[in-house]
């Protein structure tokens, strides 16, 4: 049988692609004066890439903190709901059944996630509120320190040696009790270990890269990868921190990250967390781009993997590198679906 590569891509993509980290709510919030942003600015690329589920991440930029963290988070969720209601092509999913229902109806599902618990302040009641609003995965921190813990920094070492705060531990326990997935992306190494000690369910790392290829605390070490694998978790591979070098930031190197995780803990524990950010970055004035580079690191966007329509390039390259259909389907969606089925 000699199926053309285009037909094989088509067949593999038809079941959909799940990307567990996308900074969509903050962009919808910044564009809150406009209408139909989802349908006009995002839908064409999402459709072209056969995206079926997105982790829609609430993230609060420094300029809104501390006063407006809660308000901006609520507004981000409000925009996501309003934009979703305005189109027949999207659905907010709070359970595995709702993810399945969205797929059956041909809608792109959003699983709302939170990147950093700044919106909660130090009030556990707010966690219940966000749960009711649909938040189903939470990472305690971004790169900064907050009421829950410390973020891993964009250097090989140097974040505080301590793990979570008492509030951070309460948040983690309450998440497990409510049915909110714990996301280990960004948390510092001590916090990472502590979360695994006080939880029992499979954790996820929604978007990260491996330290073997880019050695910063924000990424994940072999030892950490093995800890996630031992608990049946899934790691989403990030597209913007695959290498400190621009010339090594390629689609092939992205796949090297997938391969490395699969070699350490098996193909059942690797998924996608593209973290496409170039569309936001290019809306910023140069001064702000420089600020970001100074505070964290200069992001190297992979030229043929900068937006969701490029998911096809990934599928093509996975085929060319010899991945089996079954393995490609696990990477593109199957492993995240297993997590949803087990935890949501
Ligand atoms: Zn992030």
């Amino acid at each position: 049988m000699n199926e053309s590569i285009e037909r094989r891509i088509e067949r593999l993509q038809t079941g959909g692609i799940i990307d567990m980290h996308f900074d969509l709510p903050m962009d919808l919030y910044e564009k809150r004066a406009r209408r139909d942003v989802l349908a006009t600015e995002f839908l064409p690329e999402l459709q072209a890439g056969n995206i079926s589920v997105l982790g829609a991440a609430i993230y609060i930029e420094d300029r809104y903190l501390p006063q407006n963290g809660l308000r901006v988070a609520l507004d981000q969720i409000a925009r996501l709901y309003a934009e979703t209601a305005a189109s027949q092509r999207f659905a907010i999913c709070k359970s595995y059944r709702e993810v399945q229902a969205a797929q059956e109806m041909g809608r792109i599902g959003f699983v709302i996630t939170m990147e950093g618990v700044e919106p909660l302040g130090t009030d556990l009641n707010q966690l219940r509120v966000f749960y009711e609003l649909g938040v189903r995965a939470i990472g305690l921190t971004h790169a900064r320190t907050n009421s829950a813990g410390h973020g891993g920094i964009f250097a090989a070492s140097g974040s505080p040696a301590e793990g979570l705060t008492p509030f951070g531990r309460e948040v983690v326990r309450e998440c497990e009790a409510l049915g909110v997935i714990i996301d280990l992306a960004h948390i510092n190494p001590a916090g990472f270990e502590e979360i695994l000690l006080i939880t029992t369910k499979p954790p996820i790392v929604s978007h990260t890269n491996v330290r073997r290829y880019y050695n910063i605390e924000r990424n994940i070490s072999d030892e950490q990868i093995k800890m996630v694998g031992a608990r049946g978790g899934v790691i989403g591979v990030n597209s913007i921190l695959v290498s400190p070098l621009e010339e090594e930031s390629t689609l092939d190197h992205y796949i090297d990250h997938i391969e490395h995780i699969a070699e350490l803990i098996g193909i059942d524990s690797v998924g996608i967390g593209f973290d496409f950010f170039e569309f936001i970055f290019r809306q910023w004035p140069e001064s702000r781009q420089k600020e970001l580079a100074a505070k964290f690191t200069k992001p190297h966007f992979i030229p043929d993997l900068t937006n969701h329509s490029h998911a096809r390039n990934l599928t093509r390259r996975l085929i060319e590198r010899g991945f089996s259909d079954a393995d490609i389907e696990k990477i593109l969606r199957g492993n995240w679906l297993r997590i949803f089925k087990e935890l949501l």
Side-chain angles (χ1 to χ4, degrees):
M1 200 192 79
N2 219 344
E3 186 184 26
S4 79
I5 191 161
E6 294 307 321
R7 292 209 32 195
R8 195 169 158 202
I9 294 168
E10 199 58 47
R11 180 168 50 74
L12 289 167
Q13 301 246 146
T14 300
I17 289 178
I18 301 179
D19 169 11
M20 268 311 279
H21 189 84
F22 191 41
D23 284 313
L24 176 67
M26 70 186 259
D27 195 57
L28 295 180
Y29 173 69
E30 296 306 325
K31 294 170 180 165
R32 59 195 176 277
R34 294 189 221 161
R35 291 298 169 266
D36 296 323
V37 178
L38 263 185
T40 58
E41 293 191 21
F42 291 96
L43 185 58
E45 287 174 355
L46 294 170
Q47 272 180 319
N50 299 91
I51 304 302
S52 55
V53 181
L54 279 173
I58 298 162
Y59 172 72
I60 310 298
E61 291 178 85
D62 288 350
R63 60 195 162 123
Y64 298 120
L65 295 171
Q67 280 88 356
N68 290 317
L70 176 58
R71 168 169 290 267
V72 173
L74 293 173
D75 279 357
Q76 289 183 4
I77 293 177
R79 290 316 308 153
L80 188 68
Y81 272 90
E83 287 278 338
T84 298
S87 164
Q88 299 296 309
R89 295 303 322 283
F90 298 95
I92 290 169
C93 303
K94 299 177 183 174
S95 65
Y96 176 62
R97 291 176 79 93
E98 289 182 8
V99 168
Q100 284 181 307
Q103 290 194 311
E104 279 158 21
M105 293 171 77
R107 295 185 179 206
I108 296 165
F110 296 124
V111 173
I112 306 177
T113 70
M114 185 180 272
E115 184 174 36
V117 296
E118 282 80 0
L120 308 183
T122 54
D123 182 0
L124 208 57
N125 281 320
Q126 302 296 341
L127 178 59
R128 165 65 75 167
V129 172
F130 281 101
Y131 174 80
E132 297 295 342
L133 292 175
V135 172
R136 288 295 180 272
I138 291 184
L140 294 186
T141 69
H142 189 250
R144 60 202 171 203
T145 287
N146 64 20
S147 61
H150 308 281
I153 62 171
F154 285 71
S157 62
S159 74
E162 74 215 34
L164 310 185
T165 65
F167 179 67
R169 287 191 283 275
E170 278 186 275
V171 170
V172 169
R173 290 195 189 100
E174 185 71 3
C175 280
E176 273 215 323
L178 285 170
V180 175
I181 300 167
I182 306 289
D183 183 356
L184 297 168
H186 284 287
I187 192 79
N188 70 334
F192 189 105
E193 215 166 307
E194 192 174 353
I195 291 171
L196 288 175
L197 280 175
I198 62 173
T199 55
T200 57
K201 294 177 182 174
I204 69 165
V205 191
S206 63
H207 62 302
T208 194
N209 292 99
V210 303
R211 289 185 72 158
R212 179 191 162 98
Y213 295 129
Y214 194 165
N215 186 22
I216 50 177
E217 277 190 354
R218 187 261 170 270
N219 287 338
I220 186 172
S221 69
D222 287 3
E223 198 178 307
Q224 290 174 316
I225 293 168
K226 287 177 191 163
M227 289 188 231
V228 174
R231 289 275 291 275
V234 174
I235 299 169
V237 177
N238 190 331
S239 71
I240 61 177
L241 294 169
V242 302
S243 169
L245 304 172
E246 186 157 18
E247 61 271 24
E248 283 183 5
S249 299
T250 64
L251 182 54
D252 262 312
H253 205 35
Y254 180 89
I255 295 172
D256 294 338
H257 286 252
I258 291 176
E259 268 182 350
H260 183 65
I261 296 167
E263 272 162 22
L264 286 175
I265 57 175
I267 199 76
D268 291 339
S269 284
V270 59
I272 288 168
F274 286 128
D275 197 10
F276 289 137
F277 189 68
E278 196 251 354
F279 76 102
I280 289 175
F281 194 73
R282 72 174 128 81
Q283 294 174 46
W284 289 357
E286 210 187 316
S287 58
R288 217 163 140 211
Q289 296 181 355
K290 282 188 175 154
E291 205 181 295
L292 176 105
K295 195 158 49 162
F296 304 125
T297 185
K298 189 176 186 303
H300 297 306
F301 303 114
I302 297 172
D304 40 4
L305 196 63
T306 57
N307 70 67
H308 286 107
S309 75
H310 290 163
R312 301 181 77 83
N313 298 337
L314 172 62
T315 304
R316 173 180 286 107
R317 201 70 196 113
L318 287 168
I319 293 169
E320 288 168 352
R321 285 187 46 169
F323 283 79
S324 70
D325 285 357
D327 286 356
I328 292 173
E329 285 174 358
K330 285 179 181 179
I331 296 164
L332 298 184
R333 60 183 167 271
N335 293 334
W336 285 132
L337 283 174
R338 172 178 63 80
I339 289 289
F340 298 156
K341 190 175 181 182
E342 281 180 40
L343 299 179
L344 297 184

